[in-house]
Amino acid sequence: LILRDATGKETTLFGDLFAEAQLRDVRLAGRQWELIGSFTSDRRFEIDKLFTIKEGRRHRVTYYCEICHIYTHEPGRCMCCQEETELLEVVE
């Protein structure tokens, strides 16, 4: 994953499976993000936490299956019933 800031500078992002899956979720394309983490010695940014910003407020991204009442941190199908999970952005 590459972050391009307003000046055009590019930074390689590195995160766990969940962070990378959330950043790749097309339903979140165009969102403003807040990434918390640190730069590594090879100039990558390692993500510890991430949030979407809506209406000036920080939101935690999660996914929910209404059928099974299961939450997960990555988009896709429910691990139980295999129905598509619902994207939720929860005010932090």
Side-chain angles (χ1 to χ4, degrees):
L1 294 166
I2 303 292
L3 172 69
R4 184 177 296 125
D5 69 16
T7 67
K9 179 183 174 189
E10 293 184 346
T11 302
T12 301
L13 301 176
F14 174 75
D16 63 17
L17 171 73
F18 304 121
E20 291 192 15
Q22 290 173 12
L23 288 170
R24 293 179 195 275
D25 186 343
V26 296
R27 295 173 288 181
L28 294 168
R31 291 285 202 286
Q32 181 181 2
W33 292 87
E34 179 179 343
L35 306 175
I36 298 172
S38 57
F39 285 94
T40 62
S41 60
D42 60 357
R43 299 181 151 188
R44 294 183 304 161
F45 187 81
E46 188 167 347
I47 302 166
D48 294 326
K49 294 181 182 180
L50 55 82
F51 304 94
T52 56
I53 306 297
K54 289 172 46 178
E55 300 174 1
R57 298 182 74 185
R58 188 191 268 183
H59 291 72
R60 182 176 39 86
V61 176
T62 191
Y63 301 87
Y64 180 67
C65 175
E66 191 170 302
I67 297 167
C68 303
H69 305 288
I70 294 174
Y71 287 91
T72 185
H73 298 290
E74 64 182 320
R77 298 194 175 279
C78 173
M79 65 185 85
C80 180
C81 72
Q82 296 300 302
E83 289 296 320
E84 194 66 30
T85 55
E86 176 185 356
L87 167 66
L88 299 176
E89 293 174 87
V90 181
V91 175
E92 188 63 17

